Amino acid sequence: MAAGKYWNEKIETLPSEELRALQLQRLREQVKYCYNNSNFYRKKFDSIGLKPDDIKTFDDLKKIPFTVKTDLKENYPYGMVAAPPDKIVEIHASSGTTGTQIVGAYTKEDIDAWQEIMARSIYTAGGRPQDIIQIAYSYGLFTGGFGFHYGAQKLGARIIPISGGMTQRQVKLMKDLDVTILACTPSFAVHIAEIMQQDGINPKEDLKLKCGIFGAEPWSQQMRQRIEEALNIETFDIYGLTELYGPGVSIECPEHNGLHIWEDYFIVEIIDSNTGEPLPDGQEGELVFTALSKTGLPILRYRTFDISKITHEKCACGRTHARMFRVTGRTDDMLKVRGVNVFPSQIEYAILQFPELAPQYLIILDRPGALDTFLVKIELTEQAQTNTQLDLKQLKHNIQHKIYIITGLTVEIELVKPNELPRTDGKTKRVLDLRKGKM
C-alpha cells in the first residue's frame, strides 16, 4: 500500500468534499450501530427523544449529547461495551491515577483499525520497513506500547519491544542494534539523553537514530528543541487516547505545522469548555472526538479536556485531513492559584528559556495559612552546576520575573542539583498539590 511519502495516498489526499461525504456516511452508520448495540447510547438517545435517522447532516451532530470521562467510570468495566463478549479480543485501560480506570474494549476489527492508523502515523513521521523502532512506551494495559507495536508490525519494520525503564539498557541496545526510531514519552526521551551524556555517548557519532515519535503528555516547543539537540534527531508529536483506540489519532508530518487527524476514522470538533458551544477554526478550545469505526466500545462526541485549536486548510505536505495544533494543556490540569488560572505548560515554557536549567521541574502548591504558596523546584544542568561564576541569586530572580510575566504570579524558586528530581518512563508527575483537603 505504501508508496512515496504517503502510506495510503488516496485516503490521505482525498479531496475535502469526498472526505466529508465519507465521514458523514460513516457517522450515520456508527450512530445506528451505537443505538442498536449499546445500552448506554440507546438510553441516552431515548432520554431526549433522539433517533439515529435524525442524524442526517454534520449540523445534526450537535443533537448528540457529549460523552464524558465520568460516563466511562460510572459504567466500568463493561457498561459501555457494544459488542458481544465473544467478540472482544483485547482489553486496555488508563492508569487510573485519578480513581476508577477507563477501560478500552477491542474487537478484531478495532485492532485492525488501530494497526492501520498507527502504521499510517509512523510512515507519516518517516518510518519505513527498513527502520528499526525501539518502543520505550510501557507495554500492558497502557495503550502506548502495543499501539506502536501493532503499527510497526504492519509497517514491516524491525521492532525492539523494550517497554519503559532500564534507561542504561535502553541506550546500550539503541547503540548495539542500530535503532533508527525512538518511541516514548518526551520526558523519558530527556532522561535517555541525560544518561547518554553521563556515559559519554555522542548520538551524532555513536548512534543511527534519525527521529523520535513522542506523545502521551503535553510538551512544549522548547522541550522539542532540547530533545532534538541532545539526541541529534527530528521529533514528531503523536496524539491519542485510550478512549479512541490509543496513540494514532493524529501525528505531525515533516512540515511540523500541526498534527493530521485521520478523519476517515474520526470527526473532530473544537468547543468552548465552559459553554460547550462550537468554536471556529483557529480558535483555541477543547477537543471533542467521535470515533467512526469502533465496534467494541464506540464513542460519540467525547470531551477530551485537551486544549488545542484546529484547521481544515490543506497542508503543504498534500494531506487534506484536518490538523490539530500542539496540546497546550488540559482543562482538568489547570491550577487555580490565588484566583489565577495556570497551566503547568506555562511554567515549562518559562523554565526552558534558560539554558542553565534542565527540563526537569516540580510544582509544589500548599496552603499553610490563608494564602496559597507556589514553589517550583528546577534542576540545574551539569554545566551550570559546575560553573563557579554563575550567579544563582540573579538566575532565580530572572526565572521569577519570566514566570510573573507569563502568569502574573510571584513564585518561589528552588534550584536543585542535576538528577535530584524523580524520573519516570511514563507520564512525569509535574505537580504536587498539597492543598487538597485544605480547600
Side-chain angles (χ1 to χ4, degrees):
M1 180 184 294
K5 64 179 181 178
Y6 305 109
W7 171 254
N8 185 335
E9 183 172 1
K10 180 180 178 181
I11 285 292
E12 293 175 49
T13 63
L14 199 64
S16 297
E17 298 79 10
E18 294 181 40
L19 183 56
R20 295 287 279 175
L22 176 63
Q23 282 186 302
L24 184 57
Q25 174 193 335
R26 291 185 174 180
L27 171 64
R28 297 182 69 183
E29 292 171 354
Q30 187 73 355
V31 167
K32 289 179 182 177
Y33 177 83
C34 288
Y35 187 81
N36 293 332
N37 296 279
S38 167
N39 290 330
F40 170 80
Y41 279 114
R42 185 162 53 252
K43 289 177 182 177
K44 181 167 276 198
F45 276 43
D46 287 348
S47 69
I48 59 173
L50 184 65
K51 299 298 181 184
D53 287 339
D54 294 336
I55 308 302
K56 296 181 174 66
T57 69
F58 282 106
D59 286 339
D60 294 329
L61 184 64
K62 293 182 289 187
K63 297 176 181 178
I64 301 174
F66 292 116
T67 305
V68 295
K69 185 174 289 188
T70 305
D71 292 325
L72 288 129
K73 291 186 175 184
E74 290 178 349
N75 287 276
Y76 172 87
Y78 296 126
M80 290 181 64
V81 173
D86 62 343
K87 295 295 184 182
I88 301 299
V89 299
E90 194 162 312
I91 298 288
H92 286 277
S94 65
S95 62
T97 54
T98 57
T100 304
Q101 296 184 96
I102 300 299
V103 166
Y106 300 72
T107 62
K108 173 64 165 58
E109 292 76 16
D110 292 334
I111 296 296
D112 290 345
W114 192 16
Q115 188 174 52
E116 166 63 25
I117 60 175
M118 275 305 299
R120 191 188 299 179
S121 295
I122 296 170
Y123 197 92
T124 299
R128 297 294 183 268
Q130 63 267 29
D131 276 305
I132 302 172
I133 302 179
Q134 185 158 319
I135 302 174
Y137 285 102
S138 296
Y139 278 73
L141 286 176
F142 176 62
T143 56
F146 277 103
F148 272 89
H149 194 102
Y150 292 146
Q153 203 170 52
K154 183 156 189 171
L155 177 65
R158 191 183 309 171
I159 301 168
I160 312 296
I162 192 169
S163 193
M166 305 176 294
T167 315
Q168 287 187 309
R169 189 181 182 195
Q170 297 260 5
V171 174
K172 177 175 171 53
L173 289 178
M174 202 177 298
K175 180 180 179 181
D176 295 347
L177 302 179
D178 294 333
V179 170
T180 56
I181 297 176
L182 172 64
C184 63
T185 63
S187 54
F188 192 49
V190 169
H191 187 39
I192 288 173
E194 292 172 338
I195 297 301
M196 284 185 186
Q197 185 180 37
Q198 291 173 20
D199 292 350
I201 292 176
N202 183 334
K204 187 174 183 179
E205 297 177 359
D206 301 330
L207 303 179
K208 294 188 177 177
L209 206 59
K210 68 176 186 180
C211 79
I213 306 176
F214 305 133
E217 62 187 15
W219 52 308
S220 64
Q221 183 64 23
Q222 289 69 29
M223 177 78 86
R224 179 205 290 274
Q225 292 169 355
R226 291 283 185 99
I227 293 172
E228 290 188 338
E229 290 171 4
L231 294 179
N232 190 46
I233 58 173
E234 183 177 8
T235 61
F236 293 83
D237 195 3
I238 191 168
Y239 176 83
L241 299 164
T242 300
E243 301 89 325
L244 302 169
Y245 299 110
V249 174
S250 64
I251 183 84
E252 281 185 311
C253 70
E255 296 294 327
H256 297 289
N257 189 24
L259 290 74
H260 290 277
I261 299 163
W262 302 126
E263 290 193 284
D264 50 327
Y265 286 92
F266 306 99
I267 289 176
V268 62
E269 302 172 73
I270 200 91
I271 64 167
D272 183 308
S273 58
N274 294 316
T275 67
E277 291 300 310
L279 296 173
D281 278 15
Q283 192 164 332
E284 192 171 74
E286 181 184 342
L287 292 167
V288 174
F289 284 97
T290 293
L292 297 174
S293 303
K294 288 191 75 182
T295 55
L297 201 159
I299 205 97
L300 302 176
R301 299 198 77 202
Y302 185 70
R303 292 188 63 162
T304 65
F305 296 121
D306 289 327
I307 303 300
S308 181
K309 55 186 177 180
I310 60 174
T311 179
H312 286 84
E313 290 183 1
K314 184 177 178 180
C315 181
C317 74
R319 293 177 178 85
T320 53
H321 294 235
R323 283 168 287 149
M324 56 178 276
F325 292 90
R326 183 180 296 273
V327 171
T328 56
R330 291 175 53 84
T331 56
D332 56 349
D333 281 346
M334 186 178 70
L335 306 170
K336 198 172 188 71
V337 185
R338 304 170 204 152
V340 177
N341 296 333
V342 183
F343 287 101
S345 57
Q346 293 175 295
I347 305 302
E348 179 179 293
Y349 174 82
I351 289 170
L352 293 179
Q353 305 300 306
F354 298 90
E356 302 90 347
L357 304 178
Q360 302 289 357
Y361 63 94
L362 178 64
I363 298 168
I364 303 176
L365 302 171
D366 202 352
R367 186 176 293 163
L371 297 176
D372 294 334
T373 59
F374 191 157
L375 169 67
V376 185
K377 287 188 174 184
I378 316 166
E379 284 186 7
L380 292 166
T381 63
E382 294 283 355
Q383 295 87 341
Q385 174 68 19
T386 56
N387 182 1
T388 57
Q389 304 300 313
L390 182 61
D391 187 338
L392 294 179
K393 185 176 180 180
Q394 184 61 46
L395 177 59
K396 287 167 66 173
H397 173 78
N398 293 343
I399 299 167
Q400 286 176 316
H401 182 65
K402 177 64 73 174
I403 292 176
Y404 179 80
I405 291 173
I406 294 171
T407 68
L409 290 169
T410 301
V411 306
E412 292 298 317
I413 300 295
E414 182 179 339
L415 300 175
V416 300
K417 297 177 182 178
N419 301 308
E420 186 166 314
L421 295 177
R423 301 295 196 266
T424 177
D425 58 303
K427 299 181 183 182
T428 298
K429 186 176 178 62
R430 299 295 193 190
V431 180
L432 179 59
D433 194 342
L434 302 175
R435 301 173 301 172
K436 295 175 181 178
K438 299 180 182 180
M439 304 301 237

